[in-house]
Structure formats: structure tokens, C-alpha cells
């Protein structure tokens, strides 16, 4: 067991030394994105789009095809969210809990996205992690949809995705992105708490 832990530790050290400048830039914009999201600021979207473009390129070369396609989805959802978060008729969208119908839609997105992506990865790519790669993307698809609609449950769906993604990214040698994902997981917990306070404050007013 000790030998296995030492081997794993050595592998992580080697991955740290192989971190590229593009991985550093992509992660930096990813950090900025989630911090702006936590503060309920629209600047999360331009930062996110920059991170998305870099991340898609890196994931393609790492063989994480579902997560690469996820970045494409992120790109269009970021455009959609950017427009949705902008002022509309003098009003800004408020943070809210999801309705029963929105919960059903969110889970429908997870199930359908996972099934489609898993089949595509299994039969049309050389992915060695089709199940987990597709599952990470499926929960993230749903989470991004909820984020664009400013629903507090987006943090829950995104954190399920993050939790699965951390060991997957380590397995693929993307150690800096695994560290970013752990950071995103922690920030998402605080993001949920902060958005909940916004809802409670609005309800109390």
C-alpha cells in the first residue's frame, strides 16, 4: 500500500513539472470565472469563454473527448448566459430556487447527455474512460443550464461534476486542472451559501 502511495506521489510530481503555460493561463481564467460567479457578477462569462477555448484544446490532446465537447457547450451556454444576465427591460434576473419542472428538466439533461456521450465515446473514439468522462460532462451540462437561469441548484450539479472530474483529470495527467477543479468544488459550496443568502434577503424585504 505504501509503495502504491509513493508511486502515485511520484507520478503527481512528474505531472507538476510538465504543466504548460497554456494550462496555467486556462486555469487562471477559470479561477476568475468561478469567483465572479460566486459574487453574482456578469464578468464570469468573458473570463469563462477565454478559459473554455484554451481548455478545449488541452482536453482534446489529453483524450478527454466528452469534456472537450462540453467546452463547446460551455461556449454557447456562456453566450446565452451573458445575454440572459445582461439588463433586460431595466430589470436584472434574480437568484431563485428551481421549480419542480426545472428539477425534472435538469435531471433529463443529465440522463440524456450521459447516454448520448457515453455511446459516442464508446463506439466512435479511443477514450479509455468513456463512462466517467461522459458523466462529468452530463452533470456539467445541466449545471451550466441552471447557472444561465440563475438557479441556486446549479452549484449542486456542478459540484457533482467536479467531484467525479478530480480523479479523472489526475488520471489524464492534467494535475493543474485537477487542482482547479478541487478549488471550484470548494468555491461552489460557498457560492451556494452566498446565493442562498441573496434569496433569503430578497424574501425578507
Amino acid at each position: 500500500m505504501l509503495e502504491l502511495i509513493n508511486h502515485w506521489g511520484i507520478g503527481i510530481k512528474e505531472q507538476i513539472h510538465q504543466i504548460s503555460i497554456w494550462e496555467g493561463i486556462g486555469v487562471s481564467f477559470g479561477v476568475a470565472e468561478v469567483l465572479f460567479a460566486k459574487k453574482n457578477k456578469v464578468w464570469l462569462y468573458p473570463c469563462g469563454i477565454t478559459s473554455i477555448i484554451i481548455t478545449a484544446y488541452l482536453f482534446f490532446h489529453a483524450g478527454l473527448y466528452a469534456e472537450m465537447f462540453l467546452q463547446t457547450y460551455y461556449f454557447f451556454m456562456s453566450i446565452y448566459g451573458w445575454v440572459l444576465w445582461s439588463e433586460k427591460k431595466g430589470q436584472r434576473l434574480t437568484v431563485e430556487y428551481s421549480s419542480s419542472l426545472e428539477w425534472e428538466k435538469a435531471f433529463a439533461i443529465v440522463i440524456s447527455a450521459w447516454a448520448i456521450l457515453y455511446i459516442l465515446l464508446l463506439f466512435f473514439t479511443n477514450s479509455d474512460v468513456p463512462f466517467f468522462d461522459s458523466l462529468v460532462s452530463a452533470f456539467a451540462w445541466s449545471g451550466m443550464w441552471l447557472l444561465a437561469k440563475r438557479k441556486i441548484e446549479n452549484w449542486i450539479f456542478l459540484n457533482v461534476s467536479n467531484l467525479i472530474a478530480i480523479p479523472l483529470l489526475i488520471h489524464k495527467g492534467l494535475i493543474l486542472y485537477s487542482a482547479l477543479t478541487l478549488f471550484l468544488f470548494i468555491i461552489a459550496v460557498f457560492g451556494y451559501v452566498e446565493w442562498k443568502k441573496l434569496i433569503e434577503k430578497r424574501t425578507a424585504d
Side-chain angles (χ1 to χ4, degrees):
M1 180 66 179
L2 183 61
E3 183 179 350
L4 179 62
I5 294 174
N6 288 334
H7 178 74
W8 188 69
I10 292 172
I12 290 180
K13 288 181 181 178
E14 291 176 350
Q15 291 174 8
I16 291 174
H17 289 303
Q18 295 173 1
I19 292 172
S20 69
I21 187 171
W22 285 112
E23 188 173 349
I25 294 172
V27 166
S28 297
F29 276 101
V31 169
E33 175 191 9
V34 73
L35 290 176
F36 279 125
K38 177 177 175 290
K39 291 296 182 180
N40 199 27
K41 301 294 184 181
V42 73
W43 276 99
L44 79 95
Y45 286 112
C47 290
I49 289 171
T50 303
S51 177
I52 286 165
I53 294 170
I54 296 171
T55 302
Y57 171 80
L58 293 173
F59 281 2
F60 173 77
H61 286 280
L64 291 172
Y65 302 115
E67 292 203 57
M68 182 200 70
F69 287 120
L70 172 63
Q71 300 306 310
T72 304
Y73 171 78
Y74 276 174
F75 180 83
F76 289 107
M77 283 302 295
S78 294
I79 299 297
Y80 170 67
W82 198 345
V83 172
L84 206 59
W85 280 44
S86 298
E87 290 192 357
K88 187 175 182 180
K89 295 181 180 179
Q91 299 290 326
R92 293 187 66 84
L93 294 175
T94 54
V95 175
E96 297 175 333
Y97 287 110
S98 296
S99 65
S100 297
L101 180 59
E102 285 166 333
W103 268 104
E104 291 173 6
K105 288 181 178 179
F107 278 112
I109 291 173
V110 171
I111 295 170
S112 57
W114 173 78
I116 293 170
L117 290 171
Y118 178 70
I119 291 172
L120 289 174
L121 292 180
L122 190 63
F123 294 105
F124 298 101
T125 75
N126 61 350
S127 173
D128 62 337
V129 285
F131 180 87
F132 292 107
D133 193 8
S134 55
L135 196 60
V136 167
S137 297
F139 274 99
W141 278 40
S142 192
M144 279 296 290
W145 176 72
L146 290 168
L147 175 62
K149 296 177 72 63
R150 261 189 175 138
K151 302 299 180 180
I152 191 173
E153 291 82 6
N154 86 85
W155 299 108
I156 298 174
F157 282 81
L158 290 175
N159 250 3
V160 173
S161 175
N162 290 334
L163 193 61
I164 302 169
I166 293 170
L168 182 62
L169 291 167
I170 293 175
H171 169 70
K172 285 297 184 177
L174 293 168
I175 190 66
L176 200 55
Y177 272 101
S178 66
L180 169 64
T181 305
L182 176 59
F183 173 76
L184 296 181
F185 181 90
I186 296 170
I187 291 297
V189 174
F190 288 103
Y192 182 91
V193 172
E194 193 158 325
W195 280 34
K196 185 177 180 181
K197 289 179 180 177
L198 290 174
I199 295 175
E200 291 173 348
K201 181 181 179 181
R202 190 182 74 250
T203 304
D205 292 341

